[in-house]
């Protein structure tokens, strides 16, 4: 266990429950499987994709082609679940970068002061997921069943006016509808099938209500390419992040990953600022954000992939915790519960925090688990959701916010970042909030607020 966090109710000596099924072997599903392995004799992870995909980026996780920063808050949970994980990935070629001294981060037009605040692991999403999957596969009682799609829940108990009282398993089939369906019994089914929200729709199929959904349309598009870059050609920083501003709703992330490859991800809010996918225009767009030096170095570098694009229409949060009735035996986690605008890089960390909450909630057994879990998950999601949606609402391109409110938010973010450019204490508070290592309440400390007010 990670030395920084001890469990209040360790499982030692308690009998385990029978069988749990996790649907989806993304980061959310793999973390959930690790959490469940402490409580169940048998855990089966079902994944629609055939694993591993030869190209690295899987059909089911197309976002894997784009930069995936694992914030230190997420890395801490993975380290707690799998001791030595960070060093294993670094030894396997991953880049460890000093935060903030080896990173060049510009938020809302100001460069974050480069104070040393620990280290961050930089790897590609397929590399992270492959290593995580191997760790999960090695856990006692955990099995993986790739190439199978979950199609429907199996209800349990007498069907009352609100549907069955619980779920006792799931139906599986080969993707594409070929072959017979298989019914698999389980004491707990975990939906980690991503942002499409099948678990929510399943509640309706079971005769329950679907959760209320908070949705913020952002219309963000990504375009990314990986390069092999000669050492030193991109300067001393191991990662560069240029965030969007209200006047220029475009951003770029350039990070060194495993095997000395660099990934460049570009993004923009709204159709006019979506990044291009033609190689020349892609690097022109990059040059406007990163400067001519970086774009020339990338022009001279060897691309190791084509340019992939991804459209992210809206952040979505499903408020399961507010439902009056929740059937036992089914919970949703990861993006299925809350999908955050990826430009803030918090999705994997939040999925890991939810898995930790699931593990802790299982200490009190299976009856009533969904309600306990969704309450705990709502706490894990609240601040990342608040932070990302406030930042998005400060952008004039994001519809639905009154211009006065958007203007006030924009001024608050700009002033905070101006202070963070000069004041190490404010830089640390900003970093701790965005990396999910500390509480955003640090930003409300009197000395931080005073510094921000001075930089208005
Ligand atoms: C462009 C982009 C960039 C991102 N960058 C970052 C970043 O920098 N940092 C960060 O922390 N997060 C980032 N994210 C978010 C991150 O990808 C997710 O939040 C995180 O991986 C958790 O997702 P998940 O495991 O819940 O779902 P997913 O990753 O979507 O995985 C769902 C899995 O379920 C499987 N599946 C779906 N349906 C079925 C079915 N019926 N039966 C069986 N299996 C099924 C899929 O094949 C897939 O493997 C980014 C997202 C995007 C879109």
């Amino acid at each position: 266990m990670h030395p920084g966090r001890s469990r209040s109710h360790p499982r030692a000596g308690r009998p385990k429950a029978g069988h749990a099924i996790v649907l989806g072997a993304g980061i959310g599903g793999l973390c959930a499987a690790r959490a469940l392995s402490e409580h169940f004799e048998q855990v089966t992870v079902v994944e629609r994709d055939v694993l591993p995909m030869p190209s690295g980026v899987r059909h089911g996780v197309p976002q894997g082609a784009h930069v995936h920063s694992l914030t230190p808050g997420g890395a801490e949970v993975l380290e707690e679940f799998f001791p030595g994980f960070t060093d294993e990935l670094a030894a396997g070629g991953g880049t460890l970068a000093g935060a903030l001294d080896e990173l060049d981060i510009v938020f809302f037009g100001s460069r974050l002061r480069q104070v040393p605040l620990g280290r961050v692991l930089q790897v590609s999403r397929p590399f992270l997921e492959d290593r995580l999957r191997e760790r999960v596969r090695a856990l006692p009682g955990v099995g993986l069943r790739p190439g199978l799609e979950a199609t429907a829940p199996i209800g349990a108990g007498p069907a009352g006016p609100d549907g069955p009282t619980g779920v006792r398993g799931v139906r599986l089939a080969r993707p594409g509808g070929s072959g017979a369906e298989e019914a698999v019994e389980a004491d707990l089914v975990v939906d980690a099938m991503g942002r499409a929200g099948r678990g929510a729709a399943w509640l309706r199929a079971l005769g329950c209500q679907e959760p209320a959904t908070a949705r913020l349309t952002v219309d963000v598009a990504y375009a990314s390419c990986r390069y092999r870059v000669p050492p030193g050609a991109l300067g001393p920083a191991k990662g560069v992040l240029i965030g969007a501003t209200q006047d220029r709703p475009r951003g770029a992330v350039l990070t060194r990953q495993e095997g000395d490859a660099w990934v460049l991800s570009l993004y923009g809010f709204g159709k006019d600022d979506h990044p291009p996918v033609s190689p020349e225009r892609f690097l022109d767009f990059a040059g406007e954000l990163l400067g001519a030096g970086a774009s020339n170095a990338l022009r001279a570098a060897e691309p190791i992939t084509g340019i992939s694009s991804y459209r992210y229409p809206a952040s979505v949060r499903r408020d399961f915790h507010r439902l009056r009735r929740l059937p036992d035996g089914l919970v949703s986690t990861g993006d299925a519960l809350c999908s955050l605008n990826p430009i803030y890089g918090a999705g994997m960390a939040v999925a890991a925090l939810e898995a930790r909450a699931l593990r802790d909630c299982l200490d009190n057994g299976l009856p009533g688990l969904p309600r306990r879990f969704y309450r705990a998950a709502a706490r894990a999601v609240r601040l990342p959701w608040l932070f990302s949606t406030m930042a998005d609402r400060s952008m004039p391109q994001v519809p639905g916010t009154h211009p006065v409110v958007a203007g006030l938010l924009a001024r608050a973010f700009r002033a905070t970042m101006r202070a963070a450019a000069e004041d190490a204490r404010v830089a640390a508070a900003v970093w701790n909030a965005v990396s999910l290592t500390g509480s955003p309440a640090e930003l409300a400390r009197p000395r931080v607020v005073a510094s921000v007010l001075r930089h208005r």
Side-chain angles (χ1 to χ4, degrees):
M1 178 167 308
H2 189 264
R5 189 176 187 273
S6 61
R7 297 195 54 198
S8 48
H9 301 290
R11 292 260 335 140
R14 295 222 248 134
K16 289 186 174 184
H19 182 209
I21 296 190
V22 179
L23 305 173
I27 304 297
L30 293 172
C31 289
R34 164 62 185 82
L36 297 177
S37 69
E38 287 190 32
H39 294 273
F40 289 86
E41 294 289 350
Q42 193 194 347
V43 178
T44 307
V45 184
V46 173
E47 168 55 50
R48 191 169 50 188
D49 279 348
V50 176
L51 298 171
M53 303 294 285
S55 71
V57 176
R58 305 196 277 115
H59 296 304
V61 184
Q63 71 266 37
H66 306 275
V67 68
H68 261 68
S69 321
L70 177 64
T71 67
E76 187 185 302
V77 181
L78 293 188
E79 193 62 33
E80 179 188 332
F81 279 169
F82 302 104
F85 190 65
T86 308
D87 288 341
E88 177 195 321
L89 268 64
T95 297
L96 281 176
L100 301 168
D101 44 335
E102 291 183 303
L103 301 178
D104 182 7
I105 300 179
V106 179
F107 282 150
F108 293 99
S110 298
R111 179 161 272 109
L112 207 56
R113 189 164 161 181
Q114 290 185 299
V115 279
L117 289 171
R119 49 183 205 166
V120 289
L121 175 69
Q122 297 179 168
V123 288
S124 68
R125 161 77 192 240
F127 182 78
L128 175 71
E129 199 185 280
D130 287 354
R131 295 299 175 110
L132 195 57
R133 196 170 54 242
E134 287 318 309
R135 285 285 197 121
V136 169
R137 223 201 272 265
L139 293 168
V142 179
L144 190 61
R145 294 192 64 190
L148 279 175
E149 183 174 40
T151 55
I154 306 172
D162 294 324
T165 51
V167 165
R168 63 175 173 85
V170 67
R171 293 189 198 287
L172 305 177
R174 297 263 156 227
S178 61
E181 263 195 349
E182 178 189 352
V184 183
E185 301 266 332
D187 304 291
L188 179 64
V189 175
V190 176
D191 155 30
M193 293 181 280
R195 56 180 265 127
R198 278 181 203 81
W202 283 6
L203 285 182
R204 186 165 21 91
L206 289 163
C208 305
Q209 280 188 317
E210 278 195 49
T213 300
R215 193 181 166 87
L216 183 67
T217 298
V218 291
D219 188 16
V220 164
Y222 269 67
S224 300
C225 185
R226 293 186 90 213
Y227 298 88
R228 184 108 39 229
V229 184
L234 283 168
K238 291 181 177 169
V240 183
L241 190 162
I242 311 290
T245 63
Q246 289 76 19
D247 308 328
R248 193 211 52 214
R250 301 175 171 194
V253 187
L254 177 63
T255 47
R256 201 177 97 189
Q257 302 184 324
E258 71 275 7
D260 285 337
W262 289 73
V263 65
L264 170 63
S265 286
L266 305 175
Y267 68 84
F269 283 84
K271 195 164 164 287
D272 292 346
D273 290 285
H274 287 170
V277 290
S278 75
E280 263 311 300
R281 291 181 53 227
F282 177 78
L283 285 176
D284 288 346
F285 188 106
E288 284 165 25
L289 295 155
L290 299 168
S295 68
N296 288 339
L298 290 169
R299 272 200 177 87
E302 174 203 352
I304 30 185
T305 61
I307 298 174
S308 308
S309 61
Y310 190 101
R311 191 97 180 248
Y312 184 88
S315 299
V316 177
R317 191 192 69 212
R318 298 189 172 89
D319 288 342
F320 290 93
H321 64 290
R322 294 192 198 282
L323 282 175
R324 190 177 55 81
R325 198 177 147 269
L326 285 162
D328 270 341
L330 176 66
V331 294
S332 294
T333 187
D335 279 12
L337 179 68
C338 179
S339 163
L340 297 156
N341 184 346
I343 69 168
Y344 307 108
M348 296 190 295
V350 171
L353 289 165
E354 288 165 5
R356 183 158 78 181
L358 180 62
R359 179 199 64 185
D360 293 352
C361 290
L362 273 162
D363 284 340
N364 290 322
L366 281 166
L369 173 74
R371 186 156 313 281
R372 290 197 304 283
F373 168 66
Y374 286 132
R375 281 192 184 139
R379 283 194 291 277
V381 159
R382 192 171 36 149
L383 289 171
W385 174 268
L386 187 71
F387 171 79
S388 71
T389 53
M390 274 171 51
D392 286 341
R393 284 183 192 285
S394 76
M395 304 295 293
Q397 297 73 17
V398 170
T401 305
H402 193 283
V404 173
V405 176
L408 286 172
L409 286 170
R411 264 193 280 169
F413 279 111
R414 276 199 300 263
T416 306
M417 286 314 302
R418 259 184 234 132
E422 286 174 24
D423 186 328
R425 195 186 305 267
V426 184
V430 168
W431 175 250
N432 290 340
V434 297
S435 67
L436 304 180
T437 41
S439 162
E442 278 180 47
L443 287 164
R445 292 221 173 110
R447 289 175 72 170
V448 173
V449 173
S451 178
V452 171
L453 290 175
R454 272 200 307 281
H455 289 86
R456 257 182 311 175

